[in-house]
Amino acid sequence: MQDAPDRRNPHRQPIKEGDTTVERTLLLAVGLLALSLHILAEAATCTWTGAAGDNRWSTLSANWDAGAGNVVWPQGNDALFDGEPAAPVNVSNGAVQFNQLTVQNIADGAMTIGKISGNDADYLVAVGDATVNVPTGTSLTLPRVGGSVGLTLRGGGTLTTSREFNYLSGGLNILHGTLQRLPIAGNGTVTLLDTSGGNDPRLFMRGVNSSWIMPNDLVVQAGSTGTATVENQPTTGSGFTPTLSGNLALNRALTVKATGTQTLAMTLSGTIAGAGDLIL
């Protein structure tokens, strides 16, 4: 039984089974709704202002400008530090999630983000894009960094952490710049080089004053004309024998070297495969 026409509105007629015009209209409406939800779900850029005066990166302190005045940190968004903060910034109130973290225009070339607690209860969690952007000539030190999606470094600068990267899984992707720390097994695969361009990535173990072992598999990606480097540089003593025990997949050349007080060659105990050269 079909619905009767609407005599009060002759343009509003009952939907008939098999009416492809109506079906296409409904599909278009659903598509537009999905697109709107996707746009809303994208991370917004929040710029540090320090307006609350406590220098805390947390979900309680209104130290961020998201475009409409100062707000508390909205979890999972993009953090921008444009210029060096007036006082050191400290993560507080537990886990703080970020999608991208960017620093720029740091006058003295070095910035540190610390934490309030002394037991790692306050820390950063990389989510989504999980990308840190540090420009060439700038170094950024972070507190504990966690997350299961891996961490990507871009920008050409140096990224380090006061607590290793031992709470981070899912891989370390050094596409442009220097990652200054020793990865561990839980980090997953370490990837060097982007798949295009000519940027140089470096994994730099400076000040690891022991015969360290890097158990991670390491992949050098193809497609870039940049130079990939793994470097060890103890700051005290000599005779430390670094070991790369993971497997190496060399789709492009990899330079492995020891500098500073180090005089012994590195030990490579994993398998080596790929068309790229290993330069010692």
Side-chain angles (χ1 to χ4, degrees):
M1 178 178 180
Q2 295 184 344
D3 295 333
D6 189 341
R7 290 187 172 84
R8 292 170 297 178
N9 186 355
H11 298 290
R12 182 185 177 190
Q13 299 302 320
I15 298 174
K16 299 178 181 179
E17 185 178 355
D19 192 331
T20 56
T21 301
V22 173
E23 290 174 356
R24 285 196 297 268
T25 302
L26 289 174
L27 287 173
L28 178 61
V30 171
L32 289 173
L33 176 60
L35 177 62
S36 300
L37 291 175
H38 173 71
I39 293 173
L40 289 172
E42 290 183 348
T45 298
C46 302
T47 303
W48 175 265
T49 64
D54 60 2
N55 305 307
R56 297 191 177 193
W57 185 357
S58 78
T59 56
L60 299 177
S61 299
N63 282 315
W64 300 89
D65 181 5
N70 289 290
V71 296
V72 300
W73 175 250
Q75 293 280 44
N77 280 275
D78 295 343
L80 172 62
F81 292 89
D82 188 3
E84 190 153 6
V89 175
N90 290 296
V91 175
S92 69
N93 193 44
V96 170
Q97 300 176 3
F98 72 90
N99 180 66
Q100 292 199 29
L101 195 170
T102 301
V103 298
Q104 62 188 34
N105 301 317
I106 307 302
D108 63 1
M111 178 175 165
T112 297
I113 298 175
K115 58 186 175 65
I116 294 297
S117 69
N119 59 358
D120 284 341
D122 301 321
Y123 60 100
L124 295 173
V125 178
V127 299
D129 292 343
T131 298
V132 178
N133 302 291
V134 184
T136 300
T138 299
S139 64
L140 173 64
T141 301
L142 299 179
R144 167 184 163 184
V145 181
S148 60
V149 294
L151 187 70
T152 297
L153 173 62
R154 294 182 180 273
T158 298
L159 174 65
T160 186
T161 172
S162 59
R163 300 297 294 172
E164 308 291 347
F165 288 105
N166 51 1
Y167 296 94
L168 185 70
S169 62
L172 293 168
N173 306 306
I174 312 169
L175 305 185
H176 185 204
T178 297
L179 186 72
Q180 184 176 310
R181 266 306 180 186
L182 175 66
I184 62 170
N187 295 148
T189 300
V190 175
T191 300
L192 298 174
L193 285 178
D194 209 334
T195 54
S196 63
N199 295 322
D200 300 332
R202 179 173 65 149
L203 178 59
F204 184 38
M205 276 65 72
R206 183 180 184 277
V208 183
N209 298 310
S210 62
S211 295
W212 55 263
I213 297 175
M214 177 180 148
N216 312 70
D217 290 341
L218 191 147
V219 175
V220 181
Q221 297 194 112
S224 171
T225 59
T227 300
T229 304
V230 174
E231 181 178 349
N232 176 46
Q233 187 185 89
T235 53
T236 62
S238 63
F240 299 118
T241 307
T243 298
L244 304 182
S245 63
N247 299 321
L248 304 184
L250 305 183
N251 301 299
R252 276 193 53 84
L254 172 66
T255 297
V256 179
K257 62 182 180 179
T259 56
T261 59
Q262 179 59 282
T263 58
L264 298 181
M266 290 187 183
T267 299
L268 306 177
S269 60
T271 61
I272 301 175
D277 294 329
L278 181 62
I279 304 171
L280 302 176

